[in-house]
mmCIF file of all heavy atoms in Angstrom:
data_model
loop_
_atom_site.group_PDB
_atom_site.id
_atom_site.type_symbol
_atom_site.label_atom_id
_atom_site.label_comp_id
_atom_site.label_asym_id
_atom_site.label_seq_id
_atom_site.Cartn_x
_atom_site.Cartn_y
_atom_site.Cartn_z
ATOM 1 N N ARG G 253 -3.493 20.040 10.463
ATOM 2 C CA ARG G 253 -2.763 19.137 9.556
ATOM 3 C C ARG G 253 -3.696 18.581 8.484
ATOM 4 O O ARG G 253 -3.317 17.672 7.756
ATOM 5 C CB ARG G 253 -2.161 17.951 10.341
ATOM 6 C CG ARG G 253 -1.303 18.326 11.542
ATOM 7 C CD ARG G 253 -0.087 19.160 11.199
ATOM 8 N NE ARG G 253 0.920 18.409 10.457
ATOM 9 C CZ ARG G 253 1.732 18.959 9.545
ATOM 10 N NH1 ARG G 253 1.644 20.240 9.262
ATOM 11 N NH2 ARG G 253 2.623 18.207 8.929
ATOM 12 N N LYS G 259 2.249 11.073 3.884
ATOM 13 C CA LYS G 259 3.719 11.084 3.973
ATOM 14 C C LYS G 259 4.261 12.354 4.626
ATOM 15 O O LYS G 259 5.438 12.414 4.962
ATOM 16 C CB LYS G 259 4.358 10.865 2.606
ATOM 17 C CG LYS G 259 4.201 12.014 1.633
ATOM 18 C CD LYS G 259 4.893 11.648 0.308
ATOM 19 C CE LYS G 259 5.032 12.848 -0.617
ATOM 20 N NZ LYS G 259 3.749 13.514 -0.938
ATOM 21 N N GLU G 260 3.388 13.340 4.813
ATOM 22 C CA GLU G 260 3.841 14.575 5.481
ATOM 23 C C GLU G 260 3.389 14.602 6.935
ATOM 24 O O GLU G 260 3.437 15.648 7.592
ATOM 25 C CB GLU G 260 3.279 15.796 4.768
ATOM 26 C CG GLU G 260 3.766 15.920 3.326
ATOM 27 C CD GLU G 260 2.997 16.986 2.557
ATOM 28 O OE1 GLU G 260 1.917 17.410 3.042
ATOM 29 O OE2 GLU G 260 3.463 17.373 1.475
ATOM 30 N N LEU G 261 2.931 13.462 7.428
ATOM 31 C CA LEU G 261 2.435 13.400 8.804
ATOM 32 C C LEU G 261 3.282 12.453 9.638
ATOM 33 O O LEU G 261 3.829 11.468 9.102
ATOM 34 C CB LEU G 261 0.982 12.902 8.817
ATOM 35 C CG LEU G 261 -0.030 13.765 8.076
ATOM 36 C CD1 LEU G 261 -1.403 13.094 8.102
ATOM 37 C CD2 LEU G 261 -0.108 15.157 8.684
ATOM 38 N N SER G 262 3.375 12.711 10.940
ATOM 39 C CA SER G 262 4.097 11.785 11.820
ATOM 40 C C SER G 262 3.291 10.490 11.978
ATOM 41 O O SER G 262 2.111 10.431 11.636
ATOM 42 C CB SER G 262 4.300 12.422 13.196
ATOM 43 O OG SER G 262 3.092 12.394 13.935
ATOM 44 N N GLY G 263 3.943 9.444 12.511
ATOM 45 C CA GLY G 263 3.269 8.152 12.708
ATOM 46 C C GLY G 263 1.994 8.283 13.520
ATOM 47 O O GLY G 263 0.932 7.745 13.170
ATOM 48 N N GLY G 264 2.082 9.034 14.604
ATOM 49 C CA GLY G 264 0.907 9.200 15.467
ATOM 50 C C GLY G 264 -0.167 10.053 14.799
ATOM 51 O O GLY G 264 -1.360 9.857 15.036
ATOM 52 N N GLN G 265 0.216 11.004 13.963
ATOM 53 C CA GLN G 265 -0.768 11.825 13.237
ATOM 54 C C GLN G 265 -1.508 10.954 12.227
ATOM 55 O O GLN G 265 -2.720 11.063 12.068
ATOM 56 C CB GLN G 265 -0.077 13.005 12.553
ATOM 57 C CG GLN G 265 0.379 14.071 13.554
ATOM 58 C CD GLN G 265 1.337 15.076 12.958
ATOM 59 O OE1 GLN G 265 1.928 14.866 11.900
ATOM 60 N NE2 GLN G 265 1.526 16.200 13.651
ATOM 61 N N TYR U 231 9.719 22.527 7.193
ATOM 62 C CA TYR U 231 8.920 22.222 5.995
ATOM 63 C C TYR U 231 8.054 23.427 5.681
ATOM 64 O O TYR U 231 7.537 24.076 6.572
ATOM 65 C CB TYR U 231 7.983 21.031 6.252
ATOM 66 C CG TYR U 231 8.683 19.733 6.550
ATOM 67 C CD1 TYR U 231 8.760 19.275 7.857
ATOM 68 C CD2 TYR U 231 9.250 18.966 5.540
ATOM 69 C CE1 TYR U 231 9.390 18.072 8.154
ATOM 70 C CE2 TYR U 231 9.876 17.765 5.831
ATOM 71 C CZ TYR U 231 9.943 17.326 7.136
ATOM 72 O OH TYR U 231 10.566 16.136 7.416
ATOM 73 N N ILE U 238 6.279 24.523 9.055
ATOM 74 C CA ILE U 238 6.271 23.578 10.190
ATOM 75 C C ILE U 238 7.721 23.386 10.605
ATOM 76 O O ILE U 238 8.560 22.991 9.793
ATOM 77 C CB ILE U 238 5.730 22.201 9.766
ATOM 78 C CG1 ILE U 238 4.277 22.285 9.357
ATOM 79 C CG2 ILE U 238 5.907 21.184 10.906
ATOM 80 C CD1 ILE U 238 3.303 22.209 10.484
ATOM 81 N N ALA U 240 9.724 21.040 12.338
ATOM 82 C CA ALA U 240 9.781 19.706 12.962
ATOM 83 C C ALA U 240 10.913 19.671 13.996
ATOM 84 O O ALA U 240 10.786 19.065 15.058
ATOM 85 C CB ALA U 240 9.991 18.631 11.905
ATOM 86 N N PRO U 259 5.239 14.314 22.935
ATOM 87 C CA PRO U 259 3.927 14.160 22.286
ATOM 88 C C PRO U 259 4.043 13.772 20.812
ATOM 89 O O PRO U 259 5.084 13.981 20.180
ATOM 90 C CB PRO U 259 3.305 15.557 22.401
ATOM 91 C CG PRO U 259 4.066 16.274 23.433
ATOM 92 C CD PRO U 259 5.427 15.684 23.471
ATOM 93 N N SER U 260 2.961 13.221 20.290
ATOM 94 C CA SER U 260 2.898 12.911 18.867
ATOM 95 C C SER U 260 3.119 14.199 18.072
ATOM 96 O O SER U 260 2.539 15.237 18.385
ATOM 97 C CB SER U 260 1.514 12.316 18.565
ATOM 98 O OG SER U 260 1.322 12.184 17.183
ATOM 99 N N GLY U 261 3.998 14.134 17.074
ATOM 100 C CA GLY U 261 4.280 15.300 16.240
ATOM 101 C C GLY U 261 5.347 16.231 16.792
ATOM 102 O O GLY U 261 5.601 17.297 16.226
ATOM 103 N N SER U 262 6.015 15.855 17.870
ATOM 104 C CA SER U 262 6.991 16.751 18.502
ATOM 105 C C SER U 262 8.373 16.713 17.852
ATOM 106 O O SER U 262 9.258 17.470 18.239
ATOM 107 C CB SER U 262 7.122 16.443 19.994
ATOM 108 O OG SER U 262 7.478 15.093 20.195
ATOM 109 N N GLY U 263 8.603 15.811 16.881
ATOM 110 C CA GLY U 263 9.877 15.821 16.153
ATOM 111 C C GLY U 263 10.783 14.626 16.448
ATOM 112 O O GLY U 263 11.924 14.602 16.001
ATOM 113 N N LYS U 264 10.288 13.615 17.148
ATOM 114 C CA LYS U 264 11.138 12.493 17.563
ATOM 115 C C LYS U 264 11.658 11.685 16.373
ATOM 116 O O LYS U 264 12.854 11.397 16.281
ATOM 117 C CB LYS U 264 10.364 11.564 18.512
ATOM 118 C CG LYS U 264 9.745 12.282 19.700
ATOM 119 C CD LYS U 264 8.952 11.360 20.612
ATOM 120 C CE LYS U 264 7.771 10.687 19.951
ATOM 121 N NZ LYS U 264 6.733 11.674 19.543
ATOM 122 N N SER U 265 10.764 11.295 15.465
ATOM 123 C CA SER U 265 11.202 10.507 14.306
ATOM 124 C C SER U 265 12.131 11.335 13.427
ATOM 125 O O SER U 265 13.105 10.833 12.874
ATOM 126 C CB SER U 265 10.004 10.026 13.479
ATOM 127 O OG SER U 265 9.194 9.171 14.236
ATOM 128 N N THR U 266 11.814 12.618 13.300
ATOM 129 C CA THR U 266 12.647 13.519 12.497
ATOM 130 C C THR U 266 14.059 13.583 13.077
ATOM 131 O O THR U 266 15.054 13.458 12.355
ATOM 132 C CB THR U 266 12.033 14.929 12.456
ATOM 133 O OG1 THR U 266 10.700 14.845 11.967
ATOM 134 C CG2 THR U 266 12.842 15.845 11.555
ATOM 135 N N GLN U 310 9.514 3.314 12.543
ATOM 136 C CA GLN U 310 8.195 3.346 13.174
ATOM 137 C C GLN U 310 7.163 2.598 12.324
ATOM 138 O O GLN U 310 6.235 1.980 12.855
ATOM 139 C CB GLN U 310 7.770 4.804 13.369
ATOM 140 C CG GLN U 310 6.496 4.999 14.161
ATOM 141 C CD GLN U 310 6.278 6.467 14.552
ATOM 142 O OE1 GLN U 310 6.989 7.376 14.127
ATOM 143 N NE2 GLN U 310 5.278 6.701 15.377
ATOM 144 N N GLU U 385 10.000 3.599 18.248
ATOM 145 C CA GLU U 385 8.845 2.887 18.799
ATOM 146 C C GLU U 385 8.910 1.386 18.511
ATOM 147 O O GLU U 385 7.996 0.826 17.907
ATOM 148 C CB GLU U 385 7.534 3.439 18.195
ATOM 149 C CG GLU U 385 7.450 4.939 18.106
ATOM 150 C CD GLU U 385 6.506 5.536 19.138
ATOM 151 O OE1 GLU U 385 6.023 4.816 20.037
ATOM 152 O OE2 GLU U 385 6.276 6.753 19.034
ATOM 153 N N HIS U 418 6.762 5.897 23.420
ATOM 154 C CA HIS U 418 5.666 6.561 24.147
ATOM 155 C C HIS U 418 5.414 5.853 25.473
ATOM 156 O O HIS U 418 4.603 6.306 26.271
ATOM 157 C CB HIS U 418 4.365 6.486 23.339
ATOM 158 C CG HIS U 418 4.302 7.470 22.218
ATOM 159 N ND1 HIS U 418 4.433 8.828 22.425
ATOM 160 C CD2 HIS U 418 4.124 7.305 20.895
ATOM 161 C CE1 HIS U 418 4.335 9.449 21.257
ATOM 162 N NE2 HIS U 418 4.148 8.564 20.321
HETATM 163 N N1 ATP T 203 7.205 15.971 4.634
HETATM 164 C C1 ATP T 203 6.633 16.745 5.596
HETATM 165 N N2 ATP T 203 5.981 17.884 5.264
HETATM 166 C C2 ATP T 203 5.395 18.634 6.222
HETATM 167 N N3 ATP T 203 5.412 18.359 7.540
HETATM 168 C C3 ATP T 203 6.038 17.228 7.936
HETATM 169 C C4 ATP T 203 6.677 16.358 6.985
HETATM 170 N N4 ATP T 203 7.208 15.310 7.676
HETATM 171 C C5 ATP T 203 6.927 15.519 8.980
HETATM 172 N N5 ATP T 203 6.213 16.667 9.132
HETATM 173 C C6 ATP T 203 5.734 17.238 10.402
HETATM 174 O O1 ATP T 203 6.831 17.387 11.303
HETATM 175 C C7 ATP T 203 6.367 17.204 12.652
HETATM 176 C C8 ATP T 203 7.252 16.202 13.392
HETATM 177 O O2 ATP T 203 7.113 14.921 12.805
HETATM 178 P P1 ATP T 203 7.760 13.624 13.487
HETATM 179 O O3 ATP T 203 7.431 12.470 12.577
HETATM 180 O O4 ATP T 203 9.186 13.852 13.798
HETATM 181 O O5 ATP T 203 6.962 13.523 14.860
HETATM 182 P P2 ATP T 203 7.032 12.410 16.023
HETATM 183 O O6 ATP T 203 7.470 13.098 17.264
HETATM 184 O O7 ATP T 203 7.821 11.227 15.550
HETATM 185 O O8 ATP T 203 5.517 11.999 16.179
HETATM 186 P P3 ATP T 203 4.785 10.577 16.500
HETATM 187 O O9 ATP T 203 4.970 10.350 17.963
HETATM 188 O O10 ATP T 203 3.394 10.855 16.106
HETATM 189 O O11 ATP T 203 5.464 9.541 15.649
HETATM 190 C C9 ATP T 203 4.902 16.740 12.567
HETATM 191 O O12 ATP T 203 4.032 17.809 12.889
HETATM 192 C C10 ATP T 203 4.749 16.331 11.113
HETATM 193 O O13 ATP T 203 3.425 16.530 10.653
#
Side-chain angles (χ1 to χ4, degrees):
Chain G
R253 307 299 291 148
K259 70 180 192 303
E260 297 169 345
L261 299 176
S262 76
Q265 288 166 343
Chain U
Y231 297 102
I238 295 275
S260 171
S262 57
K264 307 178 298 295
S265 297
T266 304
Q310 187 169 8
E385 316 253 8
H418 282 303

